Amino acid sequence: MPKKENTIVWQDREVLFDLPFSYLKLRSGEKIFDRIEPIEDTKGNSGVKGRMVVTNLRIIWHSLSSPRINLSIGLNCILSASTRTVNSGLRGTTQALHLLAAYNSNKYEFIFTNLSPNCVRHYTSVVGVHKAYTGSRTYRDLKLRSAIIQNKQLRMLPLETICIHEHGVWNLSSESGNLGRMLATNVRVVWYADINEGFNISMPYITIESITVRKSKFGETLVMVVHAWAGGYVLGFRTEPSRLQPLLAELQTLHQAYTEKPIFGVEMDWGNEAPKQTNDEIEDFEEIGEPRGEMGPSLYLASQLARNEEEAFIQPVYSSYLGLAIEPLKEGFTLKSLFEVQTTS
């Protein structure tokens, strides 16, 4: 699997399976809203305990025992989220989160079961974040002729600040061009016509591939190339020659700043609900790079029955150390070493 470019945001627009470690790292601007376990991928990995990570771009699930078994579901790919009665390999008949997603002309069905009794936190977390994602598309989607201008004023987004307000900018989409104004914020570039504010375009920096100056029949022109996934447009703008290079430099600086630290606009206020936004750093999330349990490869699970309820009964043995009958220890472990782990954790 080829390594993806860090400058292209793919995490919210793709559905991928069994990814290498580099694909599971949080990209710049991606943040974790919730981490929930144990969660079972009931449809694809029934009987396997896993962890669900809910970010502002995607839903990640991975097996706790073998994190190389994983899913990455982009929020933009999710068509619907609901509950469904399912037969879980670990909980039996129960209510589970049911997701329908689409990617590359394919449709996918996912079912996730929270293995904690009477807990539906995975459902509330995913539905809440997906709703916030859907309601903040202006941060990420190119908009043509939309209701972004009211009384010659830009309708500001919650995290947005205006950095450039340029008068006398011609949009060269027609033979004669249209005179208007260009605004650049920390999130997007906006242009609208002076005589008709409904004739406008909003281009988030995430959709812009490059900003350059080219020669055209109108003379030197400011050209913005939009990524193919956002429409593949090539848009030309003309302004006073003395303002062209300064405007280019300012726009390129804003575009670069956004690329290094994107603002995706997905914000959550859980109120009094159980899920809380976490402050997990990428280094913390990187722990899933190696197959292991939550506490590391040396973690001893005291009860083999707790890991697999279907295993046959294990005959207890007498421990002179405790004076009790206990389950046989796994090879390489002693009660003394286990108590040392317990007291230093």
Side-chain angles (χ1 to χ4, degrees):
M1 185 178 291
K3 184 174 178 62
K4 292 179 179 289
E5 296 181 37
N6 293 330
T7 57
I8 297 177
V9 180
W10 56 268
Q11 286 82 355
D12 62 333
R13 298 179 180 272
E14 298 187 13
V15 177
L16 300 174
F17 300 85
D18 299 333
L19 299 172
F21 168 65
S22 60
Y23 282 60
L24 295 178
K25 290 179 62 177
L26 302 184
R27 64 154 293 118
S28 177
E30 185 177 13
K31 55 187 176 182
I32 295 175
F33 284 128
D34 209 358
R35 297 176 69 170
I36 318 160
E37 60 181 85
I39 298 289
E40 177 192 56
D41 173 20
T42 304
K43 186 176 176 66
N45 295 281
S46 181
V48 177
K49 291 183 179 181
R51 174 190 291 134
M52 176 178 283
V53 180
V54 184
T55 82
N56 54 339
L57 295 177
R58 54 181 168 164
I59 309 300
I60 298 171
W61 178 91
H62 70 87
S63 164
L64 286 173
S65 61
S66 180
R68 292 184 178 89
I69 302 173
N70 59 67
L71 307 168
S72 176
I73 308 168
L75 293 177
N76 192 65
C77 301
I78 297 177
L79 303 177
S80 66
S82 59
T83 57
R84 173 176 289 189
T85 301
V86 299
N87 185 23
S88 162
L90 295 173
R91 277 198 62 186
T93 303
T94 186
Q95 290 288 319
L97 170 65
H98 178 247
L99 295 180
L100 285 178
Y103 172 60
N104 272 356
S105 301
N106 297 317
K107 289 191 176 180
Y108 302 92
E109 180 183 56
F110 301 96
I111 297 174
F112 297 105
T113 303
N114 193 320
L115 301 178
S116 298
N118 303 317
C119 182
V120 294
R121 183 165 139 222
H122 63 314
Y123 174 75
T124 56
S125 294
V126 172
V127 171
V129 171
H130 184 246
K131 183 178 180 181
Y133 177 91
T134 303
S136 58
R137 291 191 180 276
T138 306
Y139 283 90
R140 304 174 303 275
D141 294 353
L142 186 143
K143 303 285 187 181
L144 291 168
R145 299 175 183 266
S146 59
I148 59 171
I149 306 296
Q150 186 174 26
N151 298 325
K152 304 295 183 181
Q153 298 294 321
L154 177 65
R155 299 176 68 174
M156 302 290 290
L157 301 173
L159 304 176
E160 190 173 32
T161 56
I162 293 178
C163 304
I164 300 173
H165 191 165
E166 193 79 11
H167 297 268
V169 178
W170 292 82
N171 184 326
L172 305 179
S173 58
S174 64
E175 284 296 319
S176 58
N178 293 279
L179 183 62
R181 303 182 186 188
M182 177 177 287
L183 304 174
T185 75
N186 58 329
V187 173
R188 55 181 170 163
V189 177
V190 173
W191 178 92
Y192 67 93
D194 286 337
I195 60 174
N196 178 13
E197 62 186 33
F199 182 44
N200 59 57
I201 183 170
S202 171
M203 295 175 287
Y205 296 118
I206 192 175
T207 67
I208 299 175
E209 182 176 335
S210 64
I211 305 174
T212 58
V213 168
R214 300 182 187 175
K215 290 185 178 180
S216 70
K217 66 178 181 179
F218 298 98
E220 287 199 323
T221 302
L222 181 70
V223 175
M224 299 188 189
V225 178
V226 175
H227 285 291
W229 62 263
Y233 302 105
V234 179
L235 303 168
F237 301 93
R238 183 168 62 87
T239 187
E240 293 294 327
S242 61
R243 280 294 301 153
L244 186 60
Q245 289 300 328
L247 181 60
L248 171 66
E250 292 169 0
L251 290 172
Q252 288 178 334
T253 298
L254 289 171
H255 183 243
Q256 181 62 32
Y258 180 92
T259 301
E260 293 175 359
K261 193 173 182 180
I263 301 172
F264 297 119
V266 185
E267 299 295 318
M268 292 298 300
D269 181 10
W270 296 109
N272 295 322
E273 296 179 15
K276 300 292 183 181
Q277 180 175 332
T278 69
N279 293 320
D280 299 80
E281 298 293 339
I282 293 177
E283 290 76 16
D284 182 41
F285 184 63
E286 285 176 359
E287 292 175 357
I288 71 175
E290 294 298 328
R292 59 172 185 80
E294 174 64 16
M295 293 178 64
S298 62
L299 174 65
Y300 178 84
L301 299 180
S303 172
Q304 296 179 33
L305 291 176
R307 289 183 292 156
N308 191 337
E309 296 177 357
E310 296 181 359
E311 289 188 10
F313 176 74
I314 299 175
Q315 183 67 34
V317 297
Y318 177 76
S319 168
S320 58
Y321 185 82
L322 292 177
L324 299 170
I326 64 170
E327 193 174 276
L329 296 178
K330 295 164 69 176
E331 184 178 352
F333 288 89
T334 65
L335 285 173
K336 185 175 184 297
S337 66
L338 292 178
F339 276 107
E340 288 175 348
V341 171
Q342 185 68 23
T343 55
T344 57
S345 62

